[in-house]
């Protein structure tokens, strides 16, 4: 398996879903992981906004599989 930094977020989510679902419904697991990722990104944004209320902080960018690992 390659390093998480070189993997796209969609591939990392698919890998995690395949591992977690086993013989079950992987599409359902993908949807759950995507929802979890969205909630985690919003939580990170809210935390940064609380720490620096005067700054205009954008939501965290999710560019790599490492970002998915960090947030989910």
């Amino acid at each position: 398996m390659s390093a998480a930094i070189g993997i796209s977020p969609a591939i990392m989510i698919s890998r995690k879903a395949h591992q977690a679902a086993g013989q079950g419904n992987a599409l359902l697991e993908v949807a759950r992981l995507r929802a979890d990722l969205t909630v985690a990104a919003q939580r990170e944004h809210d935390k940064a906004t609380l720490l620096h209320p005067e700054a205009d902080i954008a939501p965290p960018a999710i560019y790599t599989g490492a970002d998915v690992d960090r947030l989910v």
Side-chain angles (χ1 to χ4, degrees):
M1 199 189 250
S2 60
I5 196 110
I7 299 173
S8 76
I11 298 296
M12 182 60 78
I13 287 174
S14 294
R15 283 185 181 179
K16 286 180 165 287
H18 180 71
Q19 290 172 350
Q23 298 295 332
N25 189 350
L27 290 177
L28 181 63
E29 189 64 22
V30 166
R32 188 190 66 74
L33 284 171
R34 285 196 176 275
D36 289 351
L37 182 61
T38 302
V39 169
Q42 185 62 45
R43 191 178 318 121
E44 287 288 318
H45 179 258
D46 293 346
K47 188 186 320 179
T49 304
L50 283 173
L51 293 174
H52 305 286
E54 70 284 347
D56 184 24
I57 300 172
I62 303 169
Y63 294 122
T64 66
D67 296 327
V68 173
D69 271 344
R70 180 178 60 85
L71 292 170
V72 175

